[in-house]
């Protein structure tokens, strides 16, 4: 599509238009090409690593896309002055917002990498490339592409679907936008393909949560069906992952999945992205205060600080925040130096709360409360005292707010449940989707239509 052949130029354009106090340092680090010729097992695995790198890039899960999940909500405040960021907090996002373009381009670049792997690996002739290994590589690419389209559709709604690599400047010309229903169907199709190709974690070893396996697919299916309000299927797939208590378990106390600094790839994580001293996360510096070598350009909102510090609500989750000697609160989920903090994409806690919500929606209230209370118990809280269905659903919503306080869930949760109006006073439902980047509209020659209200 047009985005593919323009994302590099747009990337440098967006850098040039930022102020000297840039929102993100988005220089590529330790890049791995996925557009290289895939001719054997080694190059196939190199290409797949390149796709993971794109997924974890600063403009995607490395930092910028995550802000789409929490800046429009009520947990995080922006402490800087750039209007490009303030637009997300005030819900007055302009179609020419540079961060919209940066994230859009980053997601489609990841899709293009996945398309290369999916299209080329099955045809590789290499006697050392066993069928199971080949399936693993292709299955992981399908999983990543499913996550890409999941993020596109929940952010923008009507987007373009492309399933083949971009090989030339014009080979995606004329690609029309798909409806949200068609994009959601593509997500499920890719998840089913991944499910058929990937294996579950080895029975003899703890899974590696930085690589997708069959249970990673089930976890994203549970989230997918939650967004689709298919409560029975959301319960089913969440249960399939939760039942593997050998590999996935809530870490105790709450901070154990991210602290101390050696806590990476714990049994809390179903899927996380890893970083290293040569491949740093962009997230840490924007949470930490100057005293810790950061810029604290976003920080916990006052209301969130109150919730986390309330022993009856936050419990031991108050470790998510800390205070400087000058009295400034800051988020402390990303804190390592150098910035090798993982990006937490799916935690087992989310599967418990997905199942709790799905059970409550099916009027299985005691079972739903049991999952909710597991999360509360891990946080050092007493069991919930709520009884009725609506009260229980609200309790689950509130628990998600605190449990994932600094992770990219809050805005999307309020939109998918129809609660954004009541909680954030956003009654204009057209604002629940972001505007499609203006540059993409211009390049599409009429094939992309701007979302209503922009």
């Amino acid at each position: 599509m047009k985005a593919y052949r323009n994302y590099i130029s747009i990337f440098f354009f967006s850098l040039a238009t930022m102020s000297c106090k840039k929102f993100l340092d988005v220089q590529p680090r330790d890049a791995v090409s996925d557009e290289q010729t895939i001719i054997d097992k080694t190059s196939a695995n190199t290409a797949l690593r390149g796709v993971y790198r794109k997924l974890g890039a600063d403009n995607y899960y490395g930092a910028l896309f995550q802000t789409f999940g929490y800046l429009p909500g009520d947990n995080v405040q922006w402490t800087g002055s750039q209007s490009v960021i303030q637009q997300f907090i005030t819900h007055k996002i302009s179609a020419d917002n540079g961060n919209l373009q940066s994230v859009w381009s980053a997601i489609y670049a990841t899709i293009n990498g996945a398309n290369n792997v999916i299209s080329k690996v099955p045809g590789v002739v290499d006697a050392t490339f066993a069928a199971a290994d080949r399936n693993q590589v292709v299955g992981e690419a399908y999983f990543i592409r499913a996550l890409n389209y999941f993020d596109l559709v929940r952010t923008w709604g009507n987007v373009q679907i492309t399933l083949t690599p971009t090989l030339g400047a014009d080979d995606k010309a004329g690609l029309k936008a798909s409806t949200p229903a068609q994009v959601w169907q593509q997500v499920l199709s890719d998840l089913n393909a991944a499910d058929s190709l990937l294996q579950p974690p080895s029975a003899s070893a703890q899974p590696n949560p930085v690589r997708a396996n069959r249970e990673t697919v089930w976890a994203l299916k549970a989230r997918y069906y939650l967004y689709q309000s298919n409560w029975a299927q959301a319960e089913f797939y969440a249960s399939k992952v939760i039942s593997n208590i050998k590999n996935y378990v809530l870490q105790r106390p709450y901070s154990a999945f991210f602290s101390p600094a050696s806590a990476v790839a714990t049994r809390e994580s179903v899927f996380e992205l890893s970083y290293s001293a040569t491949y740093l996360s962009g997230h840490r510096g924007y949470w930490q205060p100057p005293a810790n070598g950061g810029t604290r350009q976003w920080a916990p909102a006052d209301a969130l600080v109150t919730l986390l510090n309330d022993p009856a609500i936050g419990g031991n989750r108050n470790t998510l925040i800390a205070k400087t000697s000058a009295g400034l609160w800051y988020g402390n989920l990303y804190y390592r130096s150098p910035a090798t903090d993982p990006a937490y994409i799916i935690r087992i806690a989310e599967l418990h709360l997905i199942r709790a919500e799905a059970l409550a929606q099916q009027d299985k209230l005691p079972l739903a409360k049991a999952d909710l209370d597991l999360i509360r118990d891990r946080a050092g809280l007493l069991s919930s005292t709520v009884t009725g269905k609506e009260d229980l659903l609200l309790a689950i919503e509130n628990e998600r707010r605190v449990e994932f306080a600094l992770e990219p869930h809050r805005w999307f949760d309020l939109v998918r449940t129809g609660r954004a109006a009541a909680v954030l006073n956003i009654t204009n439902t057209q604002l629940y989707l972001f505007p499609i980047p203006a540059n993409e509209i211009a390049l599409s020659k009429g094939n992309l239509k701007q979302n209503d209200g922009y």
Side-chain angles (χ1 to χ4, degrees):
M1 63 179 294
K2 294 287 187 180
Y4 287 154
R5 72 173 189 259
N6 287 285
Y7 78 87
I8 293 177
S9 61
I10 292 165
F11 167 81
F12 286 108
F13 173 78
S14 64
L15 286 182
T17 56
M18 288 183 180
S19 69
C20 59
K21 293 184 178 179
K22 294 181 292 184
F23 173 51
L24 290 173
D25 171 15
V26 289
Q27 295 297 331
R29 306 185 187 92
D30 197 15
V32 179
S33 174
D34 56 344
E35 283 82 15
Q36 67 177 18
T37 301
I38 300 176
I39 58 173
D40 55 18
K41 179 180 179 179
T42 299
S43 57
N45 280 291
T46 299
L48 180 63
R49 285 195 299 273
V51 183
Y52 276 103
R53 289 293 174 86
K54 291 181 185 299
L55 185 65
D58 282 355
N59 283 344
Y60 201 180
Y61 275 101
L64 189 52
F65 174 73
Q66 294 212 45
T67 69
F68 286 14
Y70 51 67
L71 284 179
D74 49 4
N75 278 347
V76 177
Q77 60 177 314
W78 171 249
T79 66
S81 59
Q82 294 174 343
S83 61
V84 69
I85 310 303
Q86 196 67 26
Q87 290 176 14
F88 291 90
I89 294 174
T90 60
H91 306 97
K92 297 178 181 178
I93 307 171
S94 171
D96 63 2
N97 184 295
N99 288 347
L100 283 178
Q101 182 66 70
S102 294
V103 172
W104 177 285
S105 298
I107 296 177
Y108 273 108
T110 310
I111 289 172
N112 198 41
N115 286 345
N116 271 279
V117 172
I118 292 167
S119 298
K120 296 175 183 178
V121 168
V124 167
V125 178
D126 183 344
T128 69
F129 204 1
D133 295 334
R134 191 186 304 262
N135 288 344
Q136 180 70 29
V137 169
V138 178
E140 288 181 63
Y142 270 116
F143 168 80
I144 293 172
R145 194 172 74 181
L147 179 59
N148 300 154
Y149 280 116
F150 184 96
D151 291 337
L152 283 170
V153 70
R154 64 175 171 163
T155 304
W156 284 287
N158 298 292
V159 299
Q160 295 154 306
I161 297 174
T162 178
L163 306 178
T164 58
T166 296
L167 304 176
D170 296 314
D171 68 348
K172 294 296 190 298
L175 187 65
K176 296 186 181 300
S178 297
T179 65
Q182 290 170 327
V183 184
W184 283 118
Q185 183 55 46
Q186 185 59 49
V187 173
L188 183 58
S189 176
D190 281 349
L191 287 173
N192 287 337
D195 199 345
S196 69
L197 292 167
L198 294 174
Q199 296 297 314
S202 170
S204 61
Q206 182 178 339
N208 179 5
V210 303
R211 296 280 300 271
N213 60 56
R214 184 175 291 169
E215 291 179 345
T216 321
V217 176
W218 295 344
L220 188 54
K221 278 189 172 183
R223 187 192 284 179
Y224 167 87
Y225 283 117
L226 186 77
Y227 273 68
Q228 298 299 300
S229 301
N230 187 330
W231 313 122
Q233 287 293 90
E235 175 198 347
F236 174 75
Y237 280 104
S239 295
K240 284 169 74 71
V241 182
I242 292 169
S243 65
N244 188 348
I245 57 175
K246 173 184 177 293
N247 291 328
Y248 309 111
V249 66
L250 294 170
Q251 301 297 281
R252 293 174 178 272
Y254 175 81
S255 62
F257 77 86
F258 66 90
S259 181
S262 58
V264 296
T266 71
R267 291 166 69 196
E268 175 88 18
S269 279
V270 180
F271 186 52
E272 69 180 43
L273 299 175
S274 65
Y275 297 84
S276 68
T278 57
Y279 177 55
L280 298 173
S281 166
H283 223 164
R284 185 256 187 210
Y286 298 94
W287 280 108
Q288 291 294 312
N292 295 344
T295 57
R296 192 180 170 268
Q297 293 190 45
W298 53 79
D302 292 343
L304 178 63
V305 170
T306 299
L307 291 173
L308 288 172
N309 283 329
D310 186 335
I313 298 174
N316 58 36
R317 292 175 294 205
N318 60 2
T319 53
L320 282 172
I321 55 174
K323 186 164 61 171
T324 69
S325 59
L328 293 176
W329 288 99
Y330 61 93
N332 210 31
L333 178 60
Y334 295 91
Y335 64 91
R336 293 166 173 83
S337 184
T340 57
D341 308 88
Y344 306 102
I345 312 302
I346 306 175
R347 294 196 282 116
I348 195 63
E350 182 185 353
L351 276 299
H352 280 289
L353 289 173
I354 285 175
R355 188 169 71 175
E357 186 174 339
L359 287 164
Q361 291 284 7
Q362 297 174 86
D363 296 306
K364 302 175 182 179
L365 303 188
L367 292 174
K369 186 174 177 298
D371 269 316
L372 172 63
D373 286 341
L374 281 173
I375 301 301
R376 293 178 59 83
D377 181 69
R378 193 267 290 269
L381 304 176
L382 297 175
S383 296
S384 173
T385 58
V386 299
T387 54
K389 177 178 178 178
E390 294 306 316
D391 287 343
L392 182 55
L393 286 170
L394 180 59
I396 293 167
E397 176 189 301
N398 291 335
E399 206 67 41
R400 287 182 66 98
R401 178 183 184 182
V402 180
E403 177 70 22
F404 309 119
L406 306 184
E407 297 167 74
H409 291 277
R410 181 62 171 169
W411 166 249
F412 293 118
D413 280 345
L414 293 175
V415 169
R416 71 172 176 80
T417 58
R419 291 269 297 152
V423 175
L424 302 176
N425 197 30
I426 305 173
T427 57
N428 182 358
T429 59
Q430 293 177 338
L431 300 180
Y432 295 172
L433 292 175
F434 292 176
I436 294 172
N439 191 64
E440 298 299 324
I441 299 292
L443 290 171
S444 74
K445 297 181 179 179
N447 288 306
L448 268 177
K449 302 297 183 184
Q450 185 55 269
N451 285 330
D452 292 341
Y454 296 102

